[in-house]
């Protein structure tokens, strides 16, 4: 048995040498990625300077440079993926051999115990373990099968390996297997209530959304008459990518707990943080280092200085699409109730233009406002109000109601959600360090992603106040204290 232990030990040592060699390549990957990011920023600036008057040769030079950059980026991604697979394979071999070696060492040092005399081991904690019947939409059987998959167990084991190291691993990317990524996406869909309603695109680099102008009217004429020329124009908006990120502390006791507790804590927290930030930015985003929000665009009173020349003609909507639905006259405004309230909302709804939409209106409001709407609907038809409440639809007028707690009470933002464009430039990335809060016995996890967005058809949205006030046009976002 000792010979077998020596052989396994030699194999583990050789594999660790290979792993160390592979780890040295990670710095080179990071350097290449940083260089590509620098070139990408330069090309983004160059593209911003391209105008209809730019010479075709110069335009082609920039486009060729973009193509070359994308090719190099793809090659780097492929190399990193291959490298990650090699690292994971060697780590798995080391774990398997180490487990075999530990078993051999245990058998060599522990005397055999007859089966009949084997002691019975009981849990010190007699309280039943608590678990959920559902795990991210899975049944217990599906959950167990998911956690039993080799790539998932590798991911969870890597988290534990990092947590047990006595050195910082700041910025080390966790290699999330493909079977985990869809669950992270499910959480974003669950906690971001708007991402499934708006026009969503996953992109690489800067993207341009073409928008067709108003459809012209064809001309009636004699059967043998000449055909009239019709004019149609196109405009374009550009979207980039801004980082939405943050870190969260996880108790080290969780890292030592079951796989279910570990996966739940990491995936749920990331989904909640990113989803909430996305929704808030799509409604009230400033457009500076974050998406441009619906209400922010409606409240603009002048054309922004950086408004693209080839975008749709800018239109002042701050009076037509930002409205107060109320009674009375100046100085003595009152809240509308019952049928008068819904008449006011219906009149305001006419301002939302849906010619570019393929869906119905959505109504965004707080839970309190939603309850107010249902209560007022009871004065018209209690049965209809109850049905609307169950289905989550706007009474009388129709359309889905979505509750968002950051919208002030008494205010509603509504319109055709698919006329808002949201793009994802880079998906979720995870990293961790256990040194930052070492004395607190906590491990810090960070989550990052990059998005951009804007209301492509701004006149498709309206913001109203139904409480005798005026609509809020800006809200406070989480402070970027780390970069202050």
């Amino acid at each position: 048995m000792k010979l077998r232990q020596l052989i396994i030990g030699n194999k583990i040592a050789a594999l660790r040498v290979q792993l160390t060699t592979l780890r040295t390549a990670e710095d080179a990957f990071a350097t290449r990625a940083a260089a590509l990011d620098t070139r990408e920023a330069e090309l983004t600036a160059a593209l911003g300077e391209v105008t209809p008057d730019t010479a075709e040769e110069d335009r082609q030079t920039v486009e060729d440079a973009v193509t070359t950059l994308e090719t190099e980026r793809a090659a780097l991604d492929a190399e990193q993926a291959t490298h990650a697979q090699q690292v994971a394979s060697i780590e798995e071999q080391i774990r398997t051999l180490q487990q075999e070696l530990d078993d051999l060492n245990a058998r060599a040092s522990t005397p055999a115990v007859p089966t009949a005399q084997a002691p019975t081991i009981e849990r010190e904690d007699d309280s039943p373990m608590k678990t959920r019947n559902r795990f991210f939409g899975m049944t217990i059987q599906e959950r167990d099968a998911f956690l039993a998959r080799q790539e998932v167990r590798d991911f969870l084991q890597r988290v534990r390996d990092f947590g047990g190291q006595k050195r910082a691993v700041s910025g080390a990317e966790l290699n999330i297997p493909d079977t985990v990524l869809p669950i992270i996406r499910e959480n974003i869909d669950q906690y971001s209530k708007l991402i499934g309603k708006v026009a969503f695109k996953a992109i690489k680099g800067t993207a341009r959304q073409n928008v067709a102008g108003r459809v012209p009217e064809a001309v009636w004429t004699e059967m043998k008459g000449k055909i009239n020329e019709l004019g149609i124009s196109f405009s374009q908006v550009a979207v980039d990518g801004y980082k939405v990120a943050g870190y969260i502390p996880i108790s080290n006791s969780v890292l030592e707990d079951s796989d279910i507790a570990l996966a739940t804590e990491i995936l749920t927290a990331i989904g909640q943080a990113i989803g909430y930030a996305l929704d808030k930015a799509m409604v009230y985003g400033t457009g500076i280092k974050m998406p441009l929000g619906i209400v922010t665009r409606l409240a603009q009173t002048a054309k922004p200085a950086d408004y693209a020349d080839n975008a749709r003609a800018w239109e002042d909507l701050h009076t037509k699409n930002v409205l107060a639905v109320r009674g009375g006259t100046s100085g003595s405004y009152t809240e509308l109730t019952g049928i008068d309230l819904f008449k006011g909302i219906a009149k305001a709804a006419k301002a939302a233009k849906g010619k570019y939409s393929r869906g119905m209106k959505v109504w965004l409001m707080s839970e309190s406002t939603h309850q107010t709407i249902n209560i007022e609907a009871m004065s018209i038809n209690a049965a209809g109000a109850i049905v609307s409440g169950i289905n989550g639809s706007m009474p009388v007028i129709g359309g889905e109601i979505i509750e968002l707690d950051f919208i002030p009470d008494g205010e509603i933002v509504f319109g055709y959600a698919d006329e808002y464009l949201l793009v994802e430039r880079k998906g979720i990335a995870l990293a961790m360090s256990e040194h930052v809060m070492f004395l607190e016995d906590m491990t810090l996890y960070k989550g990052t992603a990059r998005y951009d967005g804007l209301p492509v058809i701004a006149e498709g949205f309206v913001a109203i106040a139904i409480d005798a006030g005026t609509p809020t046009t800006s809200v406070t976002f989480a402070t970027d204290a780390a970069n202050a």
Side-chain angles (χ1 to χ4, degrees):
M1 183 176 291
K2 291 183 178 180
L3 290 176
R4 180 60 179 167
Q5 290 167 297
L6 288 174
I7 292 174
I8 294 175
N10 288 335
K11 287 183 178 180
I12 292 176
L15 288 170
R16 291 192 185 280
V17 171
Q18 295 181 40
L19 187 60
T20 301
T21 303
L22 286 173
R23 292 293 190 195
T24 59
E26 294 177 356
D27 291 339
F29 285 139
T31 300
R32 289 170 60 188
L36 290 175
D37 288 340
T38 300
R39 286 170 56 192
E40 184 174 329
E42 294 171 350
L43 285 173
T44 299
L47 285 169
E49 297 174 358
V50 173
T51 67
D53 298 329
T54 301
E56 182 61 31
E57 181 179 353
D58 294 338
R59 189 193 303 272
Q60 188 61 46
T61 299
V62 175
E63 292 179 357
D64 291 344
V66 170
T67 300
T68 301
L69 177 65
E70 291 176 344
T71 301
E72 293 181 16
R73 179 82 71 180
L76 177 59
D77 290 343
E79 290 181 37
Q80 288 180 303
T82 301
H83 177 271
Q85 291 176 356
Q86 293 173 341
V87 169
S89 175
I90 292 177
E91 288 177 339
E92 175 61 23
Q93 294 178 58
I94 292 174
R95 281 192 292 273
T96 302
L97 291 172
Q98 187 64 54
Q99 182 62 49
E100 183 179 354
L101 182 59
D102 291 343
D103 291 342
L104 291 173
N105 289 336
R107 289 200 297 270
S109 60
T110 303
V113 177
T115 303
Q117 301 176 6
T120 300
I121 300 175
E122 298 180 354
R123 285 179 58 93
E124 294 182 1
D125 181 7
D126 293 331
S127 61
M129 295 184 65
K130 294 182 180 179
T131 185
R132 298 176 180 176
N133 292 331
R134 305 285 297 180
F135 176 70
F136 293 99
M138 301 179 186
T139 64
I140 294 177
Q141 292 80 6
E142 291 170 339
R143 176 205 67 194
D144 293 341
F146 165 76
L147 293 172
R149 296 184 65 132
Q150 185 64 46
E151 61 268 35
V152 177
R153 287 191 288 113
D154 290 347
F155 165 60
L156 297 172
Q157 185 59 49
R158 279 195 297 277
V159 175
R160 288 200 177 87
D161 290 344
F162 282 140
Q165 293 176 7
K166 301 306 179 185
R167 62 183 178 85
V169 288
S170 176
E173 297 296 328
L174 295 178
N175 181 24
I176 306 175
D178 290 343
T179 49
V180 173
L181 287 177
I183 287 188
I184 292 179
R185 170 64 64 199
E186 272 186 21
N187 275 317
I188 294 177
D189 290 345
Q190 176 183 350
Y191 293 109
S192 171
K193 299 180 181 181
L194 299 183
I195 197 171
K197 308 297 181 183
V198 300
F200 176 78
K201 301 288 183 183
I203 65 169
K204 289 288 186 181
T206 302
R208 300 172 184 84
Q209 174 69 60
N210 291 319
V211 181
R214 185 181 298 273
V215 177
E217 181 181 355
V219 181
W220 290 96
T221 185
E222 293 285 348
M223 184 174 63
K224 296 182 180 180
K226 296 180 180 179
I227 299 175
N228 292 270
E229 179 181 350
L230 301 180
I232 186 171
S233 62
F234 290 88
S235 58
Q236 190 177 81
V237 295
V239 285
D240 199 345
Y242 301 104
K243 181 163 63 178
V244 53
Y247 66 81
I248 54 174
I250 299 291
S251 171
N252 286 337
S253 63
V254 176
L255 297 177
E256 300 164 1
D257 206 344
S258 69
D259 286 349
I260 298 174
L262 175 64
T264 301
E265 291 294 335
I266 294 176
L267 303 182
T268 300
I270 291 175
Q272 287 175 328
I274 293 179
Y276 187 88
L278 273 176
D279 285 349
K280 194 171 183 180
M282 282 189 276
V283 180
Y284 292 109
T286 62
I288 301 173
K289 299 181 182 179
M290 67 172 68
L292 178 64
I294 294 168
V295 179
T296 308
R297 166 62 185 91
L298 296 179
Q300 290 176 348
T301 58
K303 179 180 177 180
D306 59 351
Y307 197 78
D309 294 333
N310 55 350
R312 298 177 74 233
W314 183 86
E315 183 180 359
D316 186 349
L317 301 171
H318 85 279
T319 56
K320 295 191 301 182
N321 292 55
V322 182
L323 306 169
V325 177
R326 58 197 178 191
T329 57
S330 179
S332 61
Y333 292 123
T334 59
E335 295 184 30
L336 297 177
T337 59
I339 189 64
D340 292 331
L341 172 62
F342 289 102
K343 283 182 178 179
I345 295 176
K347 289 179 181 178
K350 294 191 298 182
K353 308 303 180 185
K355 291 185 178 181
Y356 288 86
S357 174
R358 294 178 176 84
M360 293 183 64
K361 290 187 182 75
V362 294
W363 304 79
L364 316 179
M365 64 189 75
S366 68
E367 180 182 5
S368 175
T369 306
H370 188 184
Q371 294 302 318
T372 298
I373 291 294
N374 284 337
I375 291 170
E376 293 301 327
M378 289 182 180
S379 65
I380 305 171
N381 186 317
I386 293 172
V387 171
S388 297
I390 294 174
N391 295 332
S393 60
M394 174 62 80
V396 181
I397 304 171
E400 181 181 0
I401 292 178
I402 298 176
E403 294 181 358
L404 299 170
D405 66 1
F406 53 78
I407 296 179
D409 291 344
E411 300 183 20
I412 303 174
V413 180
F414 63 91
Y416 299 92
D418 58 352
E419 294 184 343
Y420 187 99
L421 174 64
L422 177 70
V423 296
E424 177 190 71
R425 186 170 179 184
K426 186 177 182 181
I428 302 294
L430 290 178
M432 60 79 66
S433 172
E434 58 92 27
H435 269 206
V436 180
M437 299 183 69
F438 180 76
L439 294 180
E440 289 86 349
D441 197 26
M442 303 284 282
T443 298
L444 294 187
Y445 287 84
K446 73 173 184 179
T448 62
R450 284 192 289 168
Y451 292 91
D452 194 11
L454 77 166
V456 178
I457 312 297
E459 62 270 26
F461 300 92
V462 176
I464 63 173
I466 62 172
D467 60 355
T470 56
T472 301
T473 56
S474 65
V475 298
T476 302
F477 284 83
T479 302
D480 187 9
N483 298 294

